[in-house]
Amino acid sequence: EAGVVQSPRYKIIEKKQPVAFWCNPISGHNTLYWYRQNLGQGPELLIRYENEEAVDDSQLPKDRFSAERLKGVDSTLKIQPAELGDSAVYLCASSNRDGAEQYFGPGTRLTVT
Amino acid sequence: AQSVTQPDIHITVSEGASLELRCNYSYGATPYLFWYVQSPGQGLQLLLKYFSGDTLVQGIKGFEAEFKRSQSSFNLRKPSVHWSDAAEYFCAVRGSSASKIIFGSGTRLSIRP
């Protein structure tokens, strides 16, 4: 069974440019999470989806970040415009409905110059 | 407030020596506890989890952890480390009725030949 797939693995952009990350969760997992992991820190939740619905986006900086999960499967996280402080690893995870165990993708390492 | 503290930022142990990584949590309700490992450039892999029952839980790769409610701790142990155990280790907590996981800041493990 394939794990959580993320692309791209690495992205370097200049500040003020837009960027998008894509995630394909484990088949059958209804819940999808986007985390941001700053250097030397643990992941912090940005947004959680139950199927197509964003049920927790309280930590998502909505002025520049947006996310969608059309059809309740794949998801895209976008930043527009990017700032230097957005440099981090963006992790996607998925779980079944009860969310007891989350499975993580390899992440996208974003560098904003 | 919910929080997880990993007091050791970096630990170095000799190959073949025993290991204990500390984790303390603060959570008002019954916690679910996790240990994840992250190798360089990789996502997080679940080592073990505690939901209820026996307070000593066994995980993958020879790791175990003990839940001590009186000390609000969930320390990770391994009797004999291998060079391949060098990685970042994260302790995490969530509530039994919640999906949001709170991560600690991680402990980086180095192995001395």
Side-chain angles (χ1 to χ4, degrees):
Chain A
E1 178 182 296
V4 176
V5 179
Q6 291 188 247
S7 69
R9 293 292 312 277
Y10 306 91
K11 189 73 176 180
I12 301 174
I13 61 171
E14 294 183 346
K15 62 181 180 181
K16 302 184 181 180
Q17 294 301 305
V19 64
F21 314 124
W22 174 81
C23 173
N24 180 248
I26 292 174
S27 177
H29 281 188
N30 302 96
T31 308
L32 183 146
Y33 313 76
W34 282 104
Y35 289 87
R36 178 168 58 189
Q37 185 178 20
N38 293 314
L39 186 65
Q41 298 181 22
E44 294 180 324
L45 181 69
L46 290 174
I47 188 169
R48 173 170 64 95
Y49 281 94
E50 294 288 348
N51 299 306
E52 307 87 13
E53 182 181 2
V55 296
D56 183 356
D57 63 355
S58 58
Q59 300 303 311
L60 189 72
K62 298 180 183 61
D63 57 335
R64 298 184 300 106
F65 286 65
S66 64
E68 60 182 13
R69 193 184 184 197
L70 302 176
K71 301 182 180 179
V73 181
D74 295 1
S75 177
T76 302
L77 177 69
K78 299 178 181 178
I79 309 175
Q80 182 171 10
E83 298 179 351
L84 295 176
D86 296 330
S87 295
V89 176
Y90 291 83
L91 294 164
C92 180
S94 69
S95 68
N96 55 23
R97 192 173 299 279
D98 72 1
E101 188 167 330
Q102 297 182 18
Y103 296 83
F104 284 81
T108 297
R109 181 177 296 277
L110 174 67
T111 301
V112 182
T113 63
Chain B
Q2 309 157 17
S3 66
V4 178
T5 301
Q6 295 181 247
D8 303 306
I9 296 174
H10 183 204
I11 285 181
T12 300
V13 300
S14 298
E15 189 167 17
S18 63
L19 170 71
E20 182 169 27
L21 302 182
R22 296 183 291 167
C23 173
N24 292 96
Y25 68 90
S26 173
Y27 198 84
T30 303
Y32 285 0
L33 295 158
F34 307 84
W35 274 98
Y36 285 86
V37 62
Q38 186 177 34
S39 298
Q42 302 297 314
L44 280 72
Q45 181 183 20
L46 182 67
L47 284 176
L48 48 79
K49 61 190 181 221
Y50 171 78
F51 290 166
S52 64
D54 192 347
T55 56
L56 183 63
V57 294
Q58 302 297 320
I60 62 172
K61 304 183 179 184
F63 286 92
E64 66 178 25
E66 186 171 11
F67 170 57
K68 293 184 177 180
R69 185 185 298 275
S70 62
Q71 299 177 19
S72 297
S73 69
F74 189 57
N75 294 349
L76 181 72
R77 302 194 294 250
K78 186 170 185 178
S80 177
V81 298
H82 186 262
W83 64 266
S84 60
D85 294 324
E88 189 92 18
Y89 291 80
F90 293 94
C91 181
V93 63
R94 57 159 278 202
S96 58
S97 58
S99 291
K100 183 175 181 177
I101 290 182
I102 306 296
F103 286 87
S105 55
T107 296
R108 183 160 63 93
L109 175 64
S110 297
I111 306 298
R112 188 184 304 119

